[in-house]
Amino acid sequence: MGMERCERLYVGGAWKLPETPTEAIPLVSPATEEIIGSVASGSASDVNSAVAAARAAFPTFSSTSPAERAQLLKQILDLMEERAEELAQAICREMGSAIGFARASQVPFGIAHVRAAIDVLEDYAFIRKQGTTAIAKEAIGVCGLITPWNWPLYQITAKVAPALAAGCTFLLKPSELSPLSAHLFAQIMHDAGTPPGVFNMVTGRGEDVGAAIASHPDIDMISITGSTRAGILVAQAAAPTVKRVTQELGGKSPNIILNDADFARVIPLGVAAAFRNVGQSCSAPTRMLVPADRLDEVAELAAATAQAMIVGNPSDDATDLGPVANRNQFAKVQEMIGVGIAEGAKLICGGLGKPEGLSAGYFVKLTIFSEVRPDMRIAQEEIFGPVLCIIPYADEDEAIRIANDTVYGLGSHVQSSDLDRARRIAGKIRAGQVHINYPAWDGFAAFGGYKQSGNGREYGVFGMDEYLETKAILGYFPE
């Protein structure tokens, strides 16, 4: 595989070099630590050009019919399905996703957001009658979409599809750490016949491109998925222009295992959920809350599950989990494993360093701590790697208290053989999503956070609503 040069930006319907000549950002393979490509480093002037193109395209595009926008989304959907393997290979190379996982989850879930937007458009009422008043839903305007590296395609389509469905025009800033899938997606947008200026993409660093987007006076809305720190910076930069800011940020999601659950089934599934995407999911259930009197049984089941997982070359079909996505993430995960050991949590598998036989690449040992106290840093801070904390609780009330004892509130899980009991506990958890007994993923279920996990919601109709303004027209329906 040769060097992959992603050194052009997509602005106004064409691929262009950055306006200010700057050195491209190197793309490092997380599996080998070798440079495998480069990505254009855009600047504020590129953002200005992209916003101008989006602003110019907005009057025409926002007045298209829902059927026309659905047709464009169908073209995008068809091309994504046609190029699914190419997208999966790109995600494997750029952020180390195991190829099997890229094919089974990363790409299909990304495609599902486009399909969901088409379905939502079919029966969405852009004008609703309320007595003699019309409640109109209108595209908010030009949007800045900022996406992360951990689910690169999935996060792009979770924003692009509903923004397009709503009739907005937009500028995408994908993570400079996962540019390959973003460039393939931009080409799909082009090949699908997206009108010039509707979709623009400027790659670069957050402090350059992200900051310029957040503060831009001609951008009406920002949607960012990223760390809580990044979300705060964007909101602060956006405040002087009073634009809408929706944020999907960090998480430290609990998984409450009730004493009536089938432990032999739910503990292995809980470990798999926490380690999915090598733990690099904001909603990963990385705090497993278990009855104190069954702590040893849980630890044994959890360790056996982790030890059966294959960590290795992400392009190998047999691999369950590849490396973490980049050097900074590897360093952070190692630091937090060290913190857990220093805090006195009981290490039941994994630990510091790389797995045996994997000297190159950002590979991490699958690590599980037991006897974790809720006040430990490893129980409070988002680690974003394959590190699971098993926390004992005395009774149901304490389990709920521990579950809510966090600055975050994104995902959560409850396992019980008593559905009424699980539903009652789900009602007491302060989080944007609760999963009862590991249900199937639902691309129409509102996704977003309480507390420092963010503002606003994504997916399905809830995602599209964020890109719409509400206008009341009184006297629209006379008596």
Side-chain angles (χ1 to χ4, degrees), residues 96-97 274-281 321-324 364 366 384-387:
S97 171
F275 289 169
R276 190 175 69 141
N277 205 33
V278 204
Q280 299 169 125
S281 296
L321 300 170
V324 293
V364 174
L366 305 185
F384 225 61
V387 182

PDB file of all heavy atoms in Angstrom, residues 96-97 274-281 321-324 364 366 384-387:
ATOM      1  N   GLY A  96      -7.084   1.860  13.029  1.00  0.00           N
ATOM      2  CA  GLY A  96      -6.762   0.568  13.630  1.00  0.00           C
ATOM      3  C   GLY A  96      -7.936  -0.320  13.957  1.00  0.00           C
ATOM      4  O   GLY A  96      -7.782  -1.327  14.651  1.00  0.00           O
ATOM      5  N   SER A  97      -9.117   0.016  13.450  1.00  0.00           N
ATOM      6  CA  SER A  97     -10.277  -0.843  13.686  1.00  0.00           C
ATOM      7  C   SER A  97     -10.022  -2.215  13.064  1.00  0.00           C
ATOM      8  O   SER A  97      -9.574  -2.319  11.924  1.00  0.00           O
ATOM      9  CB  SER A  97     -11.515  -0.218  13.041  1.00  0.00           C
ATOM     10  OG  SER A  97     -12.600  -1.122  13.075  1.00  0.00           O
ATOM     11  N   ALA A 274     -17.933  -3.096  26.739  1.00  0.00           N
ATOM     12  CA  ALA A 274     -16.959  -2.113  27.225  1.00  0.00           C
ATOM     13  C   ALA A 274     -15.751  -2.023  26.294  1.00  0.00           C
ATOM     14  O   ALA A 274     -15.178  -0.952  26.099  1.00  0.00           O
ATOM     15  CB  ALA A 274     -16.513  -2.478  28.632  1.00  0.00           C
ATOM     16  N   PHE A 275     -15.353  -3.166  25.721  1.00  0.00           N
ATOM     17  CA  PHE A 275     -14.143  -3.221  24.890  1.00  0.00           C
ATOM     18  C   PHE A 275     -14.425  -3.048  23.393  1.00  0.00           C
ATOM     19  O   PHE A 275     -13.502  -3.040  22.582  1.00  0.00           O
ATOM     20  CB  PHE A 275     -13.404  -4.544  25.116  1.00  0.00           C
ATOM     21  CG  PHE A 275     -12.746  -4.645  26.476  1.00  0.00           C
ATOM     22  CD1 PHE A 275     -12.237  -5.867  26.919  1.00  0.00           C
ATOM     23  CD2 PHE A 275     -12.625  -3.543  27.310  1.00  0.00           C
ATOM     24  CE1 PHE A 275     -11.611  -5.968  28.171  1.00  0.00           C
ATOM     25  CE2 PHE A 275     -12.017  -3.640  28.547  1.00  0.00           C
ATOM     26  CZ  PHE A 275     -11.505  -4.860  28.987  1.00  0.00           C
ATOM     27  N   ARG A 276     -15.692  -2.915  23.024  1.00  0.00           N
ATOM     28  CA  ARG A 276     -16.033  -2.712  21.614  1.00  0.00           C
ATOM     29  C   ARG A 276     -15.279  -1.496  21.084  1.00  0.00           C
ATOM     30  O   ARG A 276     -15.170  -0.482  21.763  1.00  0.00           O
ATOM     31  CB  ARG A 276     -17.547  -2.488  21.498  1.00  0.00           C
ATOM     32  CG  ARG A 276     -18.080  -2.489  20.077  1.00  0.00           C
ATOM     33  CD  ARG A 276     -19.593  -2.383  20.076  1.00  0.00           C
ATOM     34  NE  ARG A 276     -20.020  -1.068  20.520  1.00  0.00           N
ATOM     35  CZ  ARG A 276     -21.049  -0.407  19.990  1.00  0.00           C
ATOM     36  NH1 ARG A 276     -21.773  -0.960  19.036  1.00  0.00           N
ATOM     37  NH2 ARG A 276     -21.389   0.775  20.436  1.00  0.00           N
ATOM     38  N   ASN A 277     -14.740  -1.615  19.870  1.00  0.00           N
ATOM     39  CA  ASN A 277     -13.946  -0.522  19.280  1.00  0.00           C
ATOM     40  C   ASN A 277     -12.741  -0.185  20.168  1.00  0.00           C
ATOM     41  O   ASN A 277     -12.301   0.959  20.246  1.00  0.00           O
ATOM     42  CB  ASN A 277     -14.815   0.727  19.052  1.00  0.00           C
ATOM     43  CG  ASN A 277     -14.268   1.615  17.946  1.00  0.00           C
ATOM     44  OD1 ASN A 277     -13.686   1.146  16.977  1.00  0.00           O
ATOM     45  ND2 ASN A 277     -14.448   2.919  18.105  1.00  0.00           N
ATOM     46  N   VAL A 278     -12.213  -1.203  20.847  1.00  0.00           N
ATOM     47  CA  VAL A 278     -11.063  -1.086  21.771  1.00  0.00           C
ATOM     48  C   VAL A 278     -11.366  -0.050  22.866  1.00  0.00           C
ATOM     49  O   VAL A 278     -10.488   0.693  23.303  1.00  0.00           O
ATOM     50  CB  VAL A 278      -9.741  -0.751  21.027  1.00  0.00           C
ATOM     51  CG1 VAL A 278      -8.537  -1.217  21.841  1.00  0.00           C
ATOM     52  CG2 VAL A 278      -9.685  -1.418  19.663  1.00  0.00           C
ATOM     53  N   GLY A 279     -12.627  -0.019  23.299  1.00  0.00           N
ATOM     54  CA  GLY A 279     -13.018   0.898  24.371  1.00  0.00           C
ATOM     55  C   GLY A 279     -13.109   2.346  23.938  1.00  0.00           C
ATOM     56  O   GLY A 279     -13.343   3.228  24.766  1.00  0.00           O
ATOM     57  N   GLN A 280     -12.952   2.607  22.647  1.00  0.00           N
ATOM     58  CA  GLN A 280     -12.936   3.983  22.137  1.00  0.00           C
ATOM     59  C   GLN A 280     -14.326   4.408  21.676  1.00  0.00           C
ATOM     60  O   GLN A 280     -14.552   4.736  20.517  1.00  0.00           O
ATOM     61  CB  GLN A 280     -11.918   4.106  21.002  1.00  0.00           C
ATOM     62  CG  GLN A 280     -10.496   3.783  21.448  1.00  0.00           C
ATOM     63  CD  GLN A 280      -9.536   3.648  20.288  1.00  0.00           C
ATOM     64  OE1 GLN A 280      -8.514   4.307  20.237  1.00  0.00           O
ATOM     65  NE2 GLN A 280      -9.846   2.781  19.345  1.00  0.00           N
ATOM     66  N   SER A 281     -15.269   4.344  22.603  1.00  0.00           N
ATOM     67  CA  SER A 281     -16.643   4.795  22.345  1.00  0.00           C
ATOM     68  C   SER A 281     -17.057   5.627  23.538  1.00  0.00           C
ATOM     69  O   SER A 281     -16.876   5.213  24.686  1.00  0.00           O
ATOM     70  CB  SER A 281     -17.596   3.611  22.195  1.00  0.00           C
ATOM     71  OG  SER A 281     -17.269   2.837  21.068  1.00  0.00           O
ATOM     72  N   LEU A 321      -9.749  -7.256  18.268  1.00  0.00           N
ATOM     73  CA  LEU A 321      -9.452  -5.866  18.603  1.00  0.00           C
ATOM     74  C   LEU A 321      -8.064  -5.485  18.095  1.00  0.00           C
ATOM     75  O   LEU A 321      -7.097  -6.214  18.329  1.00  0.00           O
ATOM     76  CB  LEU A 321      -9.509  -5.652  20.121  1.00  0.00           C
ATOM     77  CG  LEU A 321     -10.855  -5.966  20.800  1.00  0.00           C
ATOM     78  CD1 LEU A 321     -10.698  -5.954  22.307  1.00  0.00           C
ATOM     79  CD2 LEU A 321     -11.935  -4.989  20.379  1.00  0.00           C
ATOM     80  N   GLY A 322      -7.987  -4.346  17.434  1.00  0.00           N
ATOM     81  CA  GLY A 322      -6.705  -3.833  16.964  1.00  0.00           C
ATOM     82  C   GLY A 322      -6.067  -2.944  18.012  1.00  0.00           C
ATOM     83  O   GLY A 322      -6.354  -3.058  19.206  1.00  0.00           O
ATOM     84  N   PRO A 323      -5.206  -2.014  17.581  1.00  0.00           N
ATOM     85  CA  PRO A 323      -4.584  -1.081  18.521  1.00  0.00           C
ATOM     86  C   PRO A 323      -5.538   0.057  18.869  1.00  0.00           C
ATOM     87  O   PRO A 323      -6.587   0.204  18.229  1.00  0.00           O
ATOM     88  CB  PRO A 323      -3.404  -0.542  17.710  1.00  0.00           C
ATOM     89  CG  PRO A 323      -3.895  -0.583  16.284  1.00  0.00           C
ATOM     90  CD  PRO A 323      -4.791  -1.790  16.183  1.00  0.00           C
ATOM     91  N   VAL A 324      -5.167   0.878  19.869  1.00  0.00           N
ATOM     92  CA  VAL A 324      -5.883   2.147  20.012  1.00  0.00           C
ATOM     93  C   VAL A 324      -5.418   3.045  18.867  1.00  0.00           C
ATOM     94  O   VAL A 324      -4.430   2.750  18.189  1.00  0.00           O
ATOM     95  CB  VAL A 324      -5.681   2.808  21.400  1.00  0.00           C
ATOM     96  CG1 VAL A 324      -6.333   1.978  22.488  1.00  0.00           C
ATOM     97  CG2 VAL A 324      -4.214   3.060  21.704  1.00  0.00           C
ATOM     98  N   VAL A 364      -2.729  -2.226  23.314  1.00  0.00           N
ATOM     99  CA  VAL A 364      -2.916  -2.126  24.755  1.00  0.00           C
ATOM    100  C   VAL A 364      -3.399  -3.477  25.279  1.00  0.00           C
ATOM    101  O   VAL A 364      -4.204  -4.149  24.631  1.00  0.00           O
ATOM    102  CB  VAL A 364      -3.972  -1.030  25.076  1.00  0.00           C
ATOM    103  CG1 VAL A 364      -4.306  -1.010  26.557  1.00  0.00           C
ATOM    104  CG2 VAL A 364      -3.483   0.338  24.622  1.00  0.00           C
ATOM    105  N   LEU A 366      -5.737  -5.787  27.290  1.00  0.00           N
ATOM    106  CA  LEU A 366      -7.120  -5.667  27.757  1.00  0.00           C
ATOM    107  C   LEU A 366      -7.085  -5.744  29.284  1.00  0.00           C
ATOM    108  O   LEU A 366      -6.666  -6.751  29.853  1.00  0.00           O
ATOM    109  CB  LEU A 366      -7.985  -6.781  27.171  1.00  0.00           C
ATOM    110  CG  LEU A 366      -7.964  -6.885  25.635  1.00  0.00           C
ATOM    111  CD1 LEU A 366      -8.945  -7.952  25.170  1.00  0.00           C
ATOM    112  CD2 LEU A 366      -8.280  -5.549  24.980  1.00  0.00           C
ATOM    113  N   PHE A 384     -11.095   5.953  27.610  1.00  0.00           N
ATOM    114  CA  PHE A 384     -11.182   5.792  26.156  1.00  0.00           C
ATOM    115  C   PHE A 384     -10.188   4.748  25.639  1.00  0.00           C
ATOM    116  O   PHE A 384      -9.434   4.964  24.695  1.00  0.00           O
ATOM    117  CB  PHE A 384     -10.955   7.146  25.455  1.00  0.00           C
ATOM    118  CG  PHE A 384     -11.952   7.418  24.356  1.00  0.00           C
ATOM    119  CD1 PHE A 384     -13.306   7.496  24.640  1.00  0.00           C
ATOM    120  CD2 PHE A 384     -11.551   7.594  23.047  1.00  0.00           C
ATOM    121  CE1 PHE A 384     -14.241   7.747  23.642  1.00  0.00           C
ATOM    122  CE2 PHE A 384     -12.471   7.847  22.027  1.00  0.00           C
ATOM    123  CZ  PHE A 384     -13.817   7.929  22.334  1.00  0.00           C
ATOM    124  N   GLY A 385     -10.214   3.610  26.306  1.00  0.00           N
ATOM    125  CA  GLY A 385      -9.379   2.484  25.905  1.00  0.00           C
ATOM    126  C   GLY A 385      -9.945   1.231  26.540  1.00  0.00           C
ATOM    127  O   GLY A 385     -10.954   1.291  27.253  1.00  0.00           O
ATOM    128  N   PRO A 386      -9.309   0.063  26.321  1.00  0.00           N
ATOM    129  CA  PRO A 386      -9.866  -1.199  26.820  1.00  0.00           C
ATOM    130  C   PRO A 386      -9.576  -1.418  28.303  1.00  0.00           C
ATOM    131  O   PRO A 386      -8.805  -2.282  28.686  1.00  0.00           O
ATOM    132  CB  PRO A 386      -9.175  -2.243  25.938  1.00  0.00           C
ATOM    133  CG  PRO A 386      -7.842  -1.637  25.628  1.00  0.00           C
ATOM    134  CD  PRO A 386      -8.067  -0.156  25.545  1.00  0.00           C
ATOM    135  N   VAL A 387     -10.209  -0.575  29.133  1.00  0.00           N
ATOM    136  CA  VAL A 387     -10.028  -0.651  30.585  1.00  0.00           C
ATOM    137  C   VAL A 387     -11.406  -0.679  31.233  1.00  0.00           C
ATOM    138  O   VAL A 387     -12.188   0.258  31.069  1.00  0.00           O
ATOM    139  CB  VAL A 387      -9.210   0.550  31.113  1.00  0.00           C
ATOM    140  CG1 VAL A 387      -8.997   0.424  32.625  1.00  0.00           C
ATOM    141  CG2 VAL A 387      -7.865   0.663  30.394  1.00  0.00           C
TER     142      VAL A 387
END
